[in-house]
């Protein structure tokens, strides 16, 4: 449902760095899902769904493309 790459679902923030993770290792759906199941705090939020489309509404201005 997302137009963005699956890797965009992962927050590459302070916690990501604390865990010693490498963004290059989380570019495929399978690895992103496994990471988010183990560390749900790394999931980008909010995800807004409208019809058959979804976006990561961060920054909030991205909502305009969905509405």
């Amino acid at each position: 449902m997302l137009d963005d790459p699956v890797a965009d679902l992962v927050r590459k923030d302070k916690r990501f760095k604390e865990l010693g993770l490498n963004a290059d290792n989380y570019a495929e759906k399978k690895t992103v899902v496994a990471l988010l199941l183990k560390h749900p705090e790394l999931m980008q939020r909010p995800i807004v769904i409208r019809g058959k489309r979804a976006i990561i509404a961060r920054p909030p201005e991205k909502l305009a493309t969905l509405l």
Side-chain angles (χ1 to χ4, degrees):
M1 295 176 82
L2 289 170
D3 290 334
D4 298 323
V6 70
D8 288 355
L9 287 170
V10 179
R11 297 174 75 132
K12 280 65 165 201
D13 59 5
K14 179 182 171 186
R15 178 71 176 137
F16 187 87
K17 290 177 180 71
E18 286 173 354
L19 292 168
L21 301 174
N22 180 340
D24 293 338
N25 296 333
Y26 302 98
E28 296 182 26
K29 183 178 178 179
K30 189 175 183 177
T31 55
V32 168
V33 169
L35 176 65
L36 294 178
L37 286 172
K38 188 172 183 180
H39 299 284
E41 72 275 14
L42 293 178
M43 185 169 186
Q44 285 284 14
R45 294 179 188 96
I47 297 173
V48 179
I49 300 170
R50 184 172 188 205
K52 294 184 178 187
R53 290 188 56 219
I55 63 164
I56 301 167
R58 194 173 176 170
E61 294 79 19
K62 289 181 79 175
L63 275 174
T65 64
L66 187 65
L67 306 174

